[in-house]
Amino acid sequence: MNKTETLDALPEGIARAAQILGAQGLVAFPTETVYGLGGDARSDLAVARIFDAKARPRFNPLIVHVPDLNAARAFALFDAQAEAVAAAFWPGPLTLVLPLRVDAGLSPLVTADLDSVAIRVPAHPVAQALLRAFGGPLAAPSANPSGRVSPTRAAHVLEGLTGRIAAVLDGGACAVGVESTILGLLGAPALLRPGGVSLERLEALLGPLAMSGNPERPNAPGQLESHYAPAASVRLNAETANPGEVRLGFGAGVADLNLSPSADLIEAAANLFHMLREADHLAGQGGRISIAAIPENGLGRAINDRLRRAAAPRGLIHAG
């Protein structure tokens, strides 16, 4: 593939990105959560290119991005409960897993041949402009090699995928910083992945939610046990750093990098993937990262979910 283009998030750049997508090419673009790797969700070739660029397992389904609820109804079946949830949280960092319409016209690679589809309406103005310029649904997992740290800046995308995708649309840093919450609505509502919409907000609308998800046969992204991983080994809930470790802090205390010196979970979520990358660079080959404890509430659930999966491949060590 030719060199990956970097496009400014201006009308000319958005028009060029839409042109590439129309030719079944791949374009990374910003959402409020992380950068997504977009391809035409109706095209087997475009979706196959996403899996190839990311080296992503084919059994792991993709999220379909559309500009509004009316567009989503063309691909998924919405009952009254789904309509109410969409009205409350879209556009925004919430993905719904819903029954797939028989006439949806999506590539079966998007849904991993399941009879359900993961779909969301992003709030980011650049994502909205691109979806409307393209005029169709975009399959868009995070724009990084599969299993590695997700990208929240255009430079992160280029670090992992340069030369493997046609272009990246540079819309600056992502505000939320962790992926969308995924809510299953195939029966009783179930939280499939914590993310940018907190469990508390969902339960205020829906009542208590069960946690669900199957890493062996996922029906939505983000359920694999090993995911979001830096190259360095990771130690969680560490009160202090051991000799030779790069310290990623939260709140007061000595640290090489700090997710939020004021212990603000919103700030920590926005900084998470960028600082994981920075800590990985500081640690170097064979290095180690120790991470301070993060509260298990609000956005803290999403942060801890990503950290546990990031640590999983190397035999997670808990301190405390």
Side-chain angles (χ1 to χ4, degrees):
M1 181 177 284
N2 294 329
K3 181 180 177 181
T4 298
E5 297 179 49
T6 298
L7 305 172
D8 291 329
L10 298 171
E12 296 81 5
I14 290 167
R16 171 61 180 151
Q19 179 187 42
I20 292 168
L21 292 166
Q24 301 178 88
L26 303 184
V27 176
F29 64 95
T31 75
E32 66 273 28
T33 58
V34 300
Y35 273 72
L37 180 56
D40 188 340
R42 302 161 298 191
S43 164
D44 289 339
L45 177 58
V47 177
R49 284 173 168 164
I50 292 174
F51 282 98
D52 180 62
K54 285 177 60 69
R56 181 185 176 96
R58 294 291 176 96
F59 62 83
N60 198 8
L62 306 177
I63 295 173
V64 176
H65 293 66
V66 293
D68 52 42
L69 174 56
N70 190 52
R73 294 189 185 108
F75 306 106
L77 296 173
F78 284 76
D79 61 13
Q81 184 177 65
E83 291 275 352
V85 174
F89 295 106
W90 280 357
L94 177 68
T95 294
L96 300 181
V97 177
L98 298 166
L100 178 69
R101 289 183 62 97
V102 174
D103 59 349
L106 298 174
S107 167
L109 293 172
V110 170
T111 60
D113 288 317
L114 299 172
D115 58 4
S116 59
V117 61
I119 195 161
R120 93 169 175 108
V121 175
H124 197 291
V126 175
Q128 279 284 327
L130 178 61
L131 285 163
R132 295 182 188 281
F134 174 59
L138 291 178
S142 57
N144 57 289
S146 186
R148 309 307 290 183
V149 181
S150 298
T152 55
R153 305 181 184 193
H156 298 163
V157 177
L158 293 170
E159 186 179 303
L161 295 179
T162 190
R164 300 184 64 81
I165 64 176
V168 57
L169 191 56
D170 189 351
C174 300
V176 176
V178 292
E179 291 85 353
S180 62
T181 300
I182 302 181
L183 179 69
L185 293 176
L186 300 174
L191 184 67
L192 303 180
R193 179 179 75 181
V197 174
S198 71
L199 176 64
E200 290 84 351
R201 291 180 65 198
L202 289 172
E203 290 189 332
L205 178 66
L206 297 167
L209 291 174
M211 282 291 296
S212 186
N214 181 359
E216 301 300 324
R217 182 61 170 159
N219 63 354
Q223 297 178 7
L224 300 182
E225 183 176 354
S226 169
H227 210 37
Y228 318 109
S233 63
V234 173
R235 188 167 64 95
L236 298 186
N237 303 324
E239 293 185 5
T240 59
N242 290 332
E245 289 181 335
V246 173
R247 173 70 171 175
L248 184 54
F250 177 79
V254 177
D256 299 290
L257 299 164
N258 199 311
L259 292 169
S260 174
S262 63
D264 183 306
L265 289 172
I266 295 174
E267 181 182 24
N271 286 333
L272 176 62
F273 288 135
H274 180 66
M275 287 195 177
L276 266 181
R277 289 172 177 270
E278 291 297 303
D280 203 23
H281 292 319
L282 288 173
Q285 186 172 3
R288 294 170 293 152
I289 302 168
S290 66
I291 303 178
I294 308 292
E296 190 73 23
N297 61 272
L299 276 175
R301 286 191 187 86
I303 295 169
N304 283 322
D305 173 78
R306 304 313 188 270
L307 290 175
R308 284 189 287 266
R309 295 176 194 273
R314 285 161 294 282
L316 178 61
I317 301 172
H318 285 286

